[in-house]
């Protein structure tokens, strides 16, 4: 090989390499043709879901709303985890939180849908509607000049039209007999009560029905107990039938009123959540009051924590049907767009160690239809139809046997 050729050969390779790079860039910049091999499209592979959304956004044949796809997919994804991890869209978050906060902005009426008409059932005393003279039996036919009578409309849609920020105004048209009345209502603070009713059953027994566990529930219970004690109450019936639960802090404070110092109320534990014990501080005002707790198959979550704490500490008698069996702890995590994720992070355990949660391995449909299965087996009416799980046997503070495996027996 001549010296001249040795000099030219490296230059030739360099020119060919440069040409190849330029051709590659030219092809990439000119847009993909119909013969482009999809396997040659390179995307980051660190997150398959993100990669999939990006592919749909950039490569799909039609323009699609990927944000809506994400909104639709998230609930289905969470459903694969457990029945109580849920996604709350931004548009629903305020209403969901209102139930736990114990108040909301509204006009102060309770209504029902009768055929195609919104009928006022009751008016909250001292509320905005009561001050203007709206009465039970009035029919709301229009809200803000939008007719809601004579058309198919959901209760949720009516509520969204009537509720709103405190201080804002809403116009309603009322039909009262043959009268047509117009009202402009300034929305006010509407309390959501947890204690449905409290009264003396006899000369020594008080009764309190609690509907939910919200921010105001503990204070409402204390006021009800004080009223009953002033009437001679020495034992109290706490009715949690149909109570689906609510805030953990509320039930802990309520249990604390009845238990002695250092009595374990509940403990939580999860894969990434170390065990946390919650104990009574001994400052409760009802430690000597006899206690009866009523539950049924719709008593869930916080209701079961209360019943389990009383039962396992041998503090009172639990009467009724086996409770629902919801013992998963959700943490509400806010998301950047104003929505929220309630993700299960731990399990509740009663003082004896029982996990309240019933099995959910067969999916959400079977999980919620468990109530129907109990009915079909006669569990609601015949004590011997209740099958105790011998593998879930525990003992109370005094040594009595109780069973786990789902709910409070």
């Amino acid at each position: 090989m001549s010296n001249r050729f040795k000099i030219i050969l490296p230059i030739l390779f360099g020119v060919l390499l440069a040409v190849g790079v330029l051709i590659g860039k030219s092809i990439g910049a000119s847009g993909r043709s119909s013969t482009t091999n999809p396997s040659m499209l390179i995307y980051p592979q660190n997150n398959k879901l993100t990669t999939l959304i990006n592919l749909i956004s950039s490569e799909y044949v039609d323009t699609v709303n990927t944000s809506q796809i994400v909104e639709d997919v998230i609930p289905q994804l969470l459903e694969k985890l457990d029945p109580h991890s849920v996604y709350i869209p931004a548009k629903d978050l305020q209403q969901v939180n209102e139930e736990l906060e114990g108040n909301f902005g509204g006009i102060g009426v309770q209504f029902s849908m009768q055929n195609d008409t919104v009928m006022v059932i009751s008016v909250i005393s001292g509320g905005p509607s009561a001050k203007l003279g709206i009465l039970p039996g009035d029919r709301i036919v229009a809200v803000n000049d939008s007719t809601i009578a004579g058309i198919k409309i959901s209760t949720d849609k009516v509520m969204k039209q009537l509720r709103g920020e405190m201080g804002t105004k809403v116009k309603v048209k009322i039909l009262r007999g043959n009268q047509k009345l117009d009202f402009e209502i300034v929305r006010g603070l509407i309390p959501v009560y947890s204690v449905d009713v409290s009264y003396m059953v006899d000369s020594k027994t008080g009764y309190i029905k609690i509907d939910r566990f919200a921010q105001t529930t503990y204070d409402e219970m204390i006021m009800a107990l004080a009223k009953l004690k002033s009437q001679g109450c020495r034992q109290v019936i706490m009715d949690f039938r149909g109570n689906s639960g609510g805030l953990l802090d509320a039930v802990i404070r309520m249990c604390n009123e009845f238990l002695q110092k250092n009595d374990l109320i509940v403990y939580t534990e999860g894969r990434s959540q170390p065990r946390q014990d919650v104990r009574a501080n001994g400052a409760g005002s009802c430690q000597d009051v006899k206690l009866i707790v009523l539950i049924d198959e719709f008593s869930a979550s916080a209701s079961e924590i209360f019943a389990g704490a009383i039962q396992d500490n041998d503090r009172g008698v639990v009467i009724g049907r086996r409770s629902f069996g919801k013992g998963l702890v959700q943490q509400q995590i806010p998301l950047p767009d104003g929505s929220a994720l309630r993700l299960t992070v731990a399990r509740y355990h009663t003082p004896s160690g029982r996990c309240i949660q019933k099995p959910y391995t067969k999916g959400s449909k079977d999980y919620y239809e468990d109530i129907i299965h109990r009915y079909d087996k006669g569990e609601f009416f015949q004590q011997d139809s209740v099958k105790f799980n011998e593998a879930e046997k525990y003992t109370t503070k005094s040594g009595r046997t109780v069973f786990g495996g789902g709910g409070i027996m």
Side-chain angles (χ1 to χ4, degrees):
M1 186 180 293
S2 67
N3 290 334
R4 184 179 178 186
F5 188 73
K6 288 180 181 178
I7 295 171
I8 293 175
L9 187 60
I11 297 173
L12 182 60
F13 278 133
V15 171
L16 289 174
L17 180 62
V19 170
V21 172
L22 289 172
I23 291 172
K25 286 186 176 181
S26 175
I27 292 172
S30 63
R32 299 184 184 96
S33 70
S34 60
T35 59
T36 301
N37 184 355
S39 66
M40 297 300 291
L41 302 177
I42 307 299
Y43 285 88
Q45 295 300 313
N46 60 325
N47 185 315
K48 189 179 287 187
L49 287 175
T50 301
T51 300
L52 180 61
I53 295 297
N54 288 338
L55 276 169
I56 293 171
S57 179
S58 62
E59 306 299 331
Y60 187 64
V61 63
D62 295 321
T63 301
V64 294
N65 185 344
T66 52
S67 296
Q68 187 58 50
I69 291 176
V70 171
E71 292 286 311
D72 295 339
V73 167
I74 290 176
Q76 296 180 44
L77 186 152
L78 294 175
E79 191 177 332
K80 302 295 183 183
L81 300 178
D82 66 79
H84 299 293
S85 288
V86 295
Y87 171 69
I88 308 171
K91 62 182 179 65
D92 299 328
L93 185 59
Q94 180 180 352
Q95 183 176 338
V96 170
N97 286 337
E98 283 170 354
E99 296 299 319
L100 297 179
E101 290 170 355
N103 54 66
F104 59 89
I107 67 171
V109 299
Q110 290 183 322
F111 65 87
S112 69
M113 299 298 300
Q114 298 189 1
N115 297 324
D116 55 2
T117 303
V118 178
M119 179 76 74
V120 176
I121 300 301
S122 64
V123 182
I124 296 174
S125 178
S129 293
K131 292 176 181 178
L132 292 177
I134 294 175
L135 302 173
D138 286 349
R139 288 171 285 175
I140 303 175
V141 295
V143 179
N144 288 332
D145 300 323
S146 176
T147 300
I148 60 172
I151 61 173
K152 188 175 181 180
I153 187 170
S154 67
T155 300
D156 286 345
K157 190 171 182 179
V158 175
M159 287 178 62
K160 286 179 180 179
Q161 288 181 292
L162 295 177
R163 286 187 179 184
E165 292 185 15
M166 290 184 292
T168 58
K169 296 179 180 180
V170 58
K171 296 178 181 179
V172 298
K173 290 183 181 296
I174 296 286
L175 193 61
R176 182 181 298 167
N178 294 324
Q179 286 183 290
K180 292 182 179 179
L181 306 171
D182 292 326
F183 293 93
E184 184 176 79
I185 307 171
V186 179
R187 294 183 178 99
L189 183 66
I190 309 301
V192 179
Y193 294 109
S194 302
V195 175
D196 285 346
V197 65
S198 62
Y199 57 86
M200 293 295 290
V201 176
D202 55 34
S203 60
K204 66 176 182 178
T205 308
Y207 170 87
I208 301 176
K209 175 73 171 73
I210 296 180
D211 180 62
R212 77 195 77 203
F213 290 85
Q215 288 181 0
T216 60
T217 306
Y218 171 75
D219 293 334
E220 291 180 48
M221 184 197 76
I222 291 297
M223 291 176 63
L225 284 169
K227 182 188 74 172
L228 295 177
K229 283 183 177 181
S230 69
Q231 298 174 25
C233 175
R234 298 194 298 276
Q235 63 181 19
V236 64
I237 300 168
M238 300 288 289
D239 189 349
F240 296 106
R241 290 175 297 177
N243 184 322
S244 61
L247 296 178
L248 177 61
D249 179 64
V251 69
I252 288 172
R253 295 175 70 193
M254 291 167 65
C255 286
N256 189 68
E257 291 300 313
F258 296 94
L259 298 177
Q260 296 178 353
K261 187 173 183 178
N262 290 326
D263 279 347
L264 184 60
I265 296 173
V266 67
Y267 71 88
T268 61
E269 196 170 22
R271 182 179 61 86
S272 61
Q273 302 276 332
R275 173 168 168 162
Q276 293 186 344
D277 291 0
V278 181
R279 296 183 179 273
N281 62 16
S285 62
C286 301
Q287 296 180 56
D288 297 326
V289 175
K290 291 184 179 180
L291 181 60
I292 299 166
V293 179
L294 302 184
I295 59 172
D296 66 6
E297 63 278 10
F298 296 111
S299 303
S301 190
S303 299
E304 296 173 289
I305 291 173
F306 190 99
I310 298 304
Q311 189 178 60
D312 285 5
N313 284 291
D314 298 298
R315 176 60 184 82
V317 180
V318 179
I319 300 175
R321 295 193 282 262
R322 177 159 66 102
S323 63
F324 182 84
K326 195 273 187 186
L328 298 178
V329 184
Q330 282 74 50
Q331 180 179 347
Q332 184 161 310
I333 304 166
L335 300 176
D337 66 345
S339 59
L341 175 67
R342 284 187 180 171
L343 186 67
T344 297
V345 296
R347 287 182 172 85
Y348 292 116
H349 296 265
T350 70
S352 67
R354 290 181 290 172
C355 181
I356 298 168
Q357 183 61 47
K358 66 183 179 181
Y360 51 86
T361 53
K362 294 182 180 180
S364 293
K365 186 174 185 292
D366 181 81
Y367 177 79
Y368 286 107
E369 288 182 352
D370 168 63
I371 301 296
I372 299 174
H373 301 329
R374 294 187 204 179
Y375 177 84
D376 290 340
K377 289 186 297 184
E379 186 177 319
F380 289 176
F381 308 105
Q382 303 296 329
Q383 185 175 353
D384 58 6
S385 297
V386 180
K387 304 300 180 184
F388 297 103
N389 186 346
E390 292 294 330
E392 295 277 352
K393 186 181 291 187
Y394 300 84
T395 55
T396 68
K397 193 175 181 179
S398 67
R400 291 186 308 109
T401 299
V402 288
F403 293 90
I408 301 297
M409 305 271 189

